[in-house]
Amino acid sequence: MLYVLTHNILPVFSILALGFILGRTQLVSKAEATTLNRIAFLILQPPLIFPLINGVDFENFAFSGIAFYGMGQAVIFSATFMTCRFILKHEIVESWLLAMATIFVNSVLYIWPITNLIYGEGANIPIAAIVAWDASITFAFFIVSTDFLANKTSSVSTSLKRVATNPILIVIVLGITMNLLHIPTPAPVLTGLKFVGAAAAPLTLFALGVILSGHSFAPSKTIIVVSSLKLFGLPLLVGALLTLGALETQWNQMLLLNAAGPAGAMAFALAVLHNVRT
């Protein structure tokens, strides 16, 4: 376990630490980091995701494991939302997005490279399965639901347009469609996508480190409660649910690792989009 920490996990997060240091010393500004983050999201993440989805073997997916993971997400989300809304007294949309932060794990930029180092390239199919689930189902749900909550006069077509034009969802659908129809992707295209996509994780981690350097780390009641539910609640519940099935050890390990991963930045992005307190 110590070897995995020192050789697989810490090297991945070292780029975030570098961003934090350069941000604190003002060698890189928040505006520059925001631009880097936008480039990573719009330009680099889709090429990273497409080969993952396009190349996976859906016949090897343990759908019962994905179902258990989804059940854990639903329970933790509901508990967090009710806590934030009725105990901590946050507004509805803010509570909704805080609850999203406890279950929407940044699988692509954090867990994927870590499991790739630990298990080897092509051996982390469970993470690809969770990426497909979260990107195509969970993220789409929050895009539509948050739009309805923040803009109650918004039409269904407007919300669906947000989903249809999201670059990550587009490549997920394209990758799944080409996979199921056995449409091959030309080797030069895959080479270009993998070359570009490899920069997504380090660039995003670096930008987040810079942005974090400008914030206070003083904990509040909400931060403590929500972070605890994310850090302990989701992995404990997912781990317990996985014992109900008869999955391979590797699926149990990776699903549990993913549940323990850091929250994705999409809750923050949606908050900015809908002028919710960030």
Side-chain angles (χ1 to χ4, degrees), residues 82-119:
M82 298 294 285
T83 300
C84 291
R85 179 70 181 124
F86 298 107
I87 298 178
L88 299 174
K89 305 298 183 181
H90 290 283
E91 294 181 356
I92 292 178
V93 185
E94 186 180 4
S95 299
W96 192 260
L97 294 177
L98 285 168
M100 175 187 176
T102 64
I103 67 166
F104 193 83
V105 177
N106 203 327
S107 308
V108 173
L109 298 180
Y110 296 89
I111 307 304
W112 177 264
I114 290 173
T115 55
N116 200 40
L117 290 169
I118 296 173
Y119 295 96

Short mmCIF file of all heavy atoms in Angstrom, two decimals, residues 82-119:
data_model
loop_
_atom_site.label_atom_id
_atom_site.label_comp_id
_atom_site.label_asym_id
_atom_site.label_seq_id
_atom_site.Cartn_x
_atom_site.Cartn_y
_atom_site.Cartn_z
N MET A 82 -30.67 16.76 1.87
CA MET A 82 -31.58 17.02 3.00
C MET A 82 -30.83 17.71 4.13
O MET A 82 -31.37 18.62 4.77
CB MET A 82 -32.17 15.70 3.48
CG MET A 82 -33.01 14.97 2.45
SD MET A 82 -34.52 15.85 1.99
CE MET A 82 -35.52 15.54 3.44
N THR A 83 -29.60 17.31 4.38
CA THR A 83 -28.79 17.92 5.43
C THR A 83 -28.51 19.39 5.13
O THR A 83 -28.66 20.27 5.98
CB THR A 83 -27.47 17.17 5.62
OG1 THR A 83 -27.75 15.80 5.97
CG2 THR A 83 -26.62 17.80 6.70
N CYS A 84 -28.07 19.65 3.89
CA CYS A 84 -27.74 21.03 3.50
C CYS A 84 -28.96 21.92 3.47
O CYS A 84 -28.90 23.10 3.87
CB CYS A 84 -27.05 21.04 2.14
SG CYS A 84 -25.40 20.33 2.12
N ARG A 85 -30.07 21.39 3.03
CA ARG A 85 -31.28 22.21 2.88
C ARG A 85 -31.97 22.47 4.21
O ARG A 85 -32.35 23.61 4.51
CB ARG A 85 -32.25 21.52 1.91
CG ARG A 85 -33.56 22.27 1.69
CD ARG A 85 -33.33 23.54 0.91
NE ARG A 85 -34.57 24.29 0.71
CZ ARG A 85 -34.75 25.54 1.06
NH1 ARG A 85 -33.76 26.19 1.67
NH2 ARG A 85 -35.89 26.15 0.83
N PHE A 86 -32.15 21.44 5.02
CA PHE A 86 -33.02 21.57 6.20
C PHE A 86 -32.27 21.70 7.52
O PHE A 86 -32.83 22.19 8.50
CB PHE A 86 -33.97 20.37 6.28
CG PHE A 86 -34.89 20.28 5.08
CD1 PHE A 86 -34.70 19.30 4.13
CD2 PHE A 86 -35.92 21.19 4.91
CE1 PHE A 86 -35.54 19.22 3.02
CE2 PHE A 86 -36.77 21.12 3.81
CZ PHE A 86 -36.57 20.14 2.86
N ILE A 87 -31.00 21.31 7.56
CA ILE A 87 -30.22 21.46 8.79
C ILE A 87 -29.25 22.63 8.68
O ILE A 87 -29.19 23.49 9.57
CB ILE A 87 -29.47 20.16 9.12
CG1 ILE A 87 -30.46 19.01 9.37
CG2 ILE A 87 -28.57 20.36 10.35
CD1 ILE A 87 -29.81 17.68 9.65
N LEU A 88 -28.52 22.69 7.56
CA LEU A 88 -27.56 23.77 7.36
C LEU A 88 -28.19 25.01 6.73
O LEU A 88 -27.54 26.05 6.64
CB LEU A 88 -26.39 23.28 6.51
CG LEU A 88 -25.59 22.12 7.12
CD1 LEU A 88 -24.55 21.60 6.13
CD2 LEU A 88 -24.93 22.55 8.42
N LYS A 89 -29.44 24.87 6.25
CA LYS A 89 -30.25 26.01 5.77
C LYS A 89 -29.67 26.71 4.55
O LYS A 89 -29.70 27.93 4.45
CB LYS A 89 -30.46 27.03 6.90
CG LYS A 89 -31.06 26.47 8.18
CD LYS A 89 -32.46 25.91 7.93
CE LYS A 89 -33.08 25.40 9.23
NZ LYS A 89 -34.44 24.83 9.02
N HIS A 90 -29.16 25.94 3.61
CA HIS A 90 -28.71 26.53 2.34
C HIS A 90 -29.88 26.59 1.37
O HIS A 90 -30.88 25.88 1.53
CB HIS A 90 -27.58 25.70 1.74
CG HIS A 90 -26.31 25.78 2.51
ND1 HIS A 90 -25.48 26.88 2.44
CD2 HIS A 90 -25.71 24.92 3.37
CE1 HIS A 90 -24.42 26.69 3.22
NE2 HIS A 90 -24.55 25.50 3.80
N GLU A 91 -29.76 27.44 0.36
CA GLU A 91 -30.79 27.53 -0.66
C GLU A 91 -30.88 26.21 -1.44
O GLU A 91 -29.95 25.39 -1.41
CB GLU A 91 -30.49 28.68 -1.62
CG GLU A 91 -30.55 30.05 -0.97
CD GLU A 91 -30.27 31.16 -1.95
OE1 GLU A 91 -29.95 30.86 -3.13
OE2 GLU A 91 -30.38 32.34 -1.57
N ILE A 92 -32.00 26.04 -2.14
CA ILE A 92 -32.26 24.76 -2.80
C ILE A 92 -31.18 24.42 -3.82
O ILE A 92 -30.62 23.31 -3.81
CB ILE A 92 -33.65 24.78 -3.49
CG1 ILE A 92 -34.77 24.84 -2.43
CG2 ILE A 92 -33.83 23.54 -4.37
CD1 ILE A 92 -36.16 24.91 -3.02
N VAL A 93 -30.87 25.34 -4.73
CA VAL A 93 -29.91 25.03 -5.79
C VAL A 93 -28.52 24.82 -5.21
O VAL A 93 -27.78 23.92 -5.65
CB VAL A 93 -29.88 26.15 -6.85
CG1 VAL A 93 -28.97 25.76 -8.01
CG2 VAL A 93 -31.28 26.43 -7.36
N GLU A 94 -28.15 25.61 -4.22
CA GLU A 94 -26.84 25.43 -3.59
C GLU A 94 -26.76 24.07 -2.90
O GLU A 94 -25.75 23.36 -3.00
CB GLU A 94 -26.56 26.54 -2.59
CG GLU A 94 -25.16 26.49 -1.99
CD GLU A 94 -24.90 27.61 -1.00
OE1 GLU A 94 -25.83 28.39 -0.71
OE2 GLU A 94 -23.76 27.69 -0.51
N SER A 95 -27.82 23.69 -2.21
CA SER A 95 -27.87 22.38 -1.56
C SER A 95 -27.78 21.25 -2.59
O SER A 95 -27.11 20.23 -2.37
CB SER A 95 -29.16 22.23 -0.75
OG SER A 95 -29.24 23.21 0.25
N TRP A 96 -28.45 21.46 -3.71
CA TRP A 96 -28.45 20.47 -4.79
C TRP A 96 -27.03 20.23 -5.32
O TRP A 96 -26.60 19.09 -5.50
CB TRP A 96 -29.35 20.99 -5.90
CG TRP A 96 -29.71 20.00 -6.98
CD1 TRP A 96 -29.15 19.90 -8.21
CD2 TRP A 96 -30.73 19.00 -6.92
NE1 TRP A 96 -29.75 18.90 -8.93
CE2 TRP A 96 -30.72 18.33 -8.17
CE3 TRP A 96 -31.64 18.60 -5.94
CZ2 TRP A 96 -31.60 17.28 -8.46
CZ3 TRP A 96 -32.51 17.56 -6.24
CH2 TRP A 96 -32.48 16.91 -7.47
N LEU A 97 -26.29 21.33 -5.53
CA LEU A 97 -24.94 21.21 -6.08
C LEU A 97 -23.92 20.75 -5.04
O LEU A 97 -22.95 20.06 -5.38
CB LEU A 97 -24.51 22.54 -6.70
CG LEU A 97 -25.32 22.96 -7.93
CD1 LEU A 97 -24.87 24.32 -8.45
CD2 LEU A 97 -25.21 21.91 -9.04
N LEU A 98 -24.13 21.11 -3.78
CA LEU A 98 -23.28 20.58 -2.72
C LEU A 98 -23.45 19.06 -2.62
O LEU A 98 -22.48 18.32 -2.44
CB LEU A 98 -23.62 21.24 -1.38
CG LEU A 98 -23.13 22.67 -1.18
CD1 LEU A 98 -23.76 23.30 0.05
CD2 LEU A 98 -21.60 22.70 -1.06
N ALA A 99 -24.69 18.61 -2.78
CA ALA A 99 -24.96 17.17 -2.75
C ALA A 99 -24.33 16.49 -3.97
O ALA A 99 -23.81 15.37 -3.88
CB ALA A 99 -26.46 16.91 -2.70
N MET A 100 -24.38 17.18 -5.11
CA MET A 100 -23.74 16.64 -6.32
C MET A 100 -22.24 16.43 -6.08
O MET A 100 -21.66 15.44 -6.55
CB MET A 100 -23.96 17.58 -7.50
CG MET A 100 -23.23 17.17 -8.76
SD MET A 100 -23.35 18.42 -10.07
CE MET A 100 -22.30 17.69 -11.34
N ALA A 101 -21.62 17.36 -5.36
CA ALA A 101 -20.17 17.28 -5.11
C ALA A 101 -19.79 16.04 -4.31
O ALA A 101 -18.63 15.60 -4.38
CB ALA A 101 -19.70 18.54 -4.39
N THR A 102 -20.72 15.46 -3.58
CA THR A 102 -20.39 14.27 -2.79
C THR A 102 -20.43 12.98 -3.59
O THR A 102 -19.88 11.97 -3.16
CB THR A 102 -21.36 14.11 -1.59
OG1 THR A 102 -22.69 13.89 -2.09
CG2 THR A 102 -21.35 15.33 -0.70
N ILE A 103 -21.06 13.00 -4.78
CA ILE A 103 -21.22 11.75 -5.53
C ILE A 103 -20.61 11.79 -6.92
O ILE A 103 -20.38 10.75 -7.53
CB ILE A 103 -22.71 11.36 -5.66
CG1 ILE A 103 -23.47 12.36 -6.54
CG2 ILE A 103 -23.35 11.23 -4.29
CD1 ILE A 103 -24.83 11.87 -6.97
N PHE A 104 -20.33 13.00 -7.45
CA PHE A 104 -19.77 13.10 -8.79
C PHE A 104 -18.25 13.16 -8.68
O PHE A 104 -17.67 14.21 -8.45
CB PHE A 104 -20.31 14.34 -9.51
CG PHE A 104 -20.03 14.34 -11.00
CD1 PHE A 104 -20.85 13.66 -11.87
CD2 PHE A 104 -18.93 15.00 -11.51
CE1 PHE A 104 -20.61 13.64 -13.23
CE2 PHE A 104 -18.66 14.99 -12.86
CZ PHE A 104 -19.50 14.31 -13.73
N VAL A 105 -17.64 12.00 -8.83
CA VAL A 105 -16.19 11.88 -8.66
C VAL A 105 -15.48 12.18 -9.98
O VAL A 105 -15.96 11.81 -11.05
CB VAL A 105 -15.83 10.45 -8.18
CG1 VAL A 105 -14.32 10.28 -8.07
CG2 VAL A 105 -16.51 10.17 -6.85
N ASN A 106 -14.34 12.86 -9.89
CA ASN A 106 -13.57 13.16 -11.10
C ASN A 106 -12.77 11.93 -11.51
O ASN A 106 -11.55 11.87 -11.33
CB ASN A 106 -12.65 14.36 -10.84
CG ASN A 106 -12.28 15.05 -12.13
OD1 ASN A 106 -12.15 14.41 -13.17
ND2 ASN A 106 -12.08 16.34 -12.07
N SER A 107 -13.48 10.96 -12.06
CA SER A 107 -12.88 9.67 -12.41
C SER A 107 -11.83 9.79 -13.51
O SER A 107 -10.79 9.14 -13.46
CB SER A 107 -13.97 8.69 -12.86
OG SER A 107 -15.00 8.61 -11.90
N VAL A 108 -12.12 10.64 -14.52
CA VAL A 108 -11.25 10.72 -15.68
C VAL A 108 -9.89 11.32 -15.34
O VAL A 108 -8.84 10.79 -15.70
CB VAL A 108 -11.92 11.53 -16.81
CG1 VAL A 108 -10.94 11.76 -17.96
CG2 VAL A 108 -13.15 10.80 -17.32
N LEU A 109 -9.91 12.43 -14.61
CA LEU A 109 -8.67 13.18 -14.38
C LEU A 109 -7.89 12.70 -13.17
O LEU A 109 -6.70 13.02 -13.04
CB LEU A 109 -8.99 14.66 -14.24
CG LEU A 109 -9.62 15.33 -15.47
CD1 LEU A 109 -9.89 16.79 -15.20
CD2 LEU A 109 -8.73 15.17 -16.68
N TYR A 110 -8.52 11.95 -12.27
CA TYR A 110 -7.83 11.52 -11.06
C TYR A 110 -7.68 10.00 -11.01
O TYR A 110 -6.57 9.47 -10.95
CB TYR A 110 -8.57 12.00 -9.81
CG TYR A 110 -8.63 13.48 -9.66
CD1 TYR A 110 -9.67 14.23 -10.21
CD2 TYR A 110 -7.65 14.16 -8.94
CE1 TYR A 110 -9.72 15.59 -10.06
CE2 TYR A 110 -7.69 15.53 -8.78
CZ TYR A 110 -8.73 16.25 -9.34
OH TYR A 110 -8.79 17.61 -9.20
N ILE A 111 -8.81 9.30 -11.00
CA ILE A 111 -8.79 7.86 -10.76
C ILE A 111 -8.26 7.10 -11.97
O ILE A 111 -7.55 6.10 -11.81
CB ILE A 111 -10.20 7.36 -10.38
CG1 ILE A 111 -10.75 8.17 -9.20
CG2 ILE A 111 -10.15 5.88 -10.02
CD1 ILE A 111 -9.86 8.16 -7.98
N TRP A 112 -8.60 7.55 -13.18
CA TRP A 112 -8.12 6.85 -14.36
C TRP A 112 -6.59 6.78 -14.43
O TRP A 112 -6.04 5.68 -14.59
CB TRP A 112 -8.69 7.49 -15.63
CG TRP A 112 -8.17 6.84 -16.87
CD1 TRP A 112 -7.12 7.24 -17.65
CD2 TRP A 112 -8.64 5.63 -17.46
NE1 TRP A 112 -6.93 6.37 -18.69
CE2 TRP A 112 -7.83 5.37 -18.60
CE3 TRP A 112 -9.65 4.73 -17.14
CZ2 TRP A 112 -8.03 4.26 -19.41
CZ3 TRP A 112 -9.84 3.62 -17.95
CH2 TRP A 112 -9.04 3.39 -19.06
N PRO A 113 -5.87 7.89 -14.32
CA PRO A 113 -4.40 7.77 -14.39
C PRO A 113 -3.80 6.97 -13.24
O PRO A 113 -2.80 6.27 -13.43
CB PRO A 113 -3.92 9.23 -14.36
CG PRO A 113 -5.05 10.01 -13.80
CD PRO A 113 -6.29 9.30 -14.22
N ILE A 114 -4.42 7.04 -12.05
CA ILE A 114 -3.90 6.29 -10.91
C ILE A 114 -4.07 4.78 -11.14
O ILE A 114 -3.14 3.99 -10.95
CB ILE A 114 -4.59 6.73 -9.61
CG1 ILE A 114 -4.14 8.15 -9.24
CG2 ILE A 114 -4.29 5.76 -8.46
CD1 ILE A 114 -4.90 8.74 -8.06
N THR A 115 -5.28 4.37 -11.56
CA THR A 115 -5.51 2.94 -11.80
C THR A 115 -4.72 2.45 -13.02
O THR A 115 -4.35 1.28 -13.09
CB THR A 115 -7.01 2.65 -12.02
OG1 THR A 115 -7.51 3.49 -13.07
CG2 THR A 115 -7.79 2.91 -10.74
N ASN A 116 -4.48 3.35 -13.95
CA ASN A 116 -3.67 2.98 -15.11
C ASN A 116 -2.25 2.64 -14.68
O ASN A 116 -1.62 1.72 -15.21
CB ASN A 116 -3.66 4.12 -16.13
CG ASN A 116 -3.27 3.66 -17.52
OD1 ASN A 116 -3.68 2.60 -17.97
ND2 ASN A 116 -2.48 4.46 -18.20
N LEU A 117 -1.74 3.39 -13.70
CA LEU A 117 -0.41 3.13 -13.18
C LEU A 117 -0.38 1.86 -12.33
O LEU A 117 0.57 1.08 -12.37
CB LEU A 117 0.07 4.31 -12.35
CG LEU A 117 0.42 5.60 -13.11
CD1 LEU A 117 0.63 6.75 -12.14
CD2 LEU A 117 1.66 5.39 -13.97
N ILE A 118 -1.44 1.64 -11.55
CA ILE A 118 -1.47 0.51 -10.63
C ILE A 118 -1.72 -0.81 -11.36
O ILE A 118 -1.02 -1.81 -11.16
CB ILE A 118 -2.55 0.71 -9.54
CG1 ILE A 118 -2.20 1.92 -8.67
CG2 ILE A 118 -2.69 -0.54 -8.67
CD1 ILE A 118 -3.30 2.28 -7.69
N TYR A 119 -2.74 -0.82 -12.23
CA TYR A 119 -3.18 -2.07 -12.85
C TYR A 119 -2.67 -2.27 -14.28
O TYR A 119 -2.78 -3.36 -14.81
CB TYR A 119 -4.72 -2.13 -12.86
CG TYR A 119 -5.32 -2.18 -11.48
CD1 TYR A 119 -5.78 -1.02 -10.85
CD2 TYR A 119 -5.43 -3.38 -10.78
CE1 TYR A 119 -6.32 -1.05 -9.58
CE2 TYR A 119 -5.99 -3.43 -9.51
CZ TYR A 119 -6.43 -2.26 -8.92
OH TYR A 119 -6.97 -2.30 -7.67
#
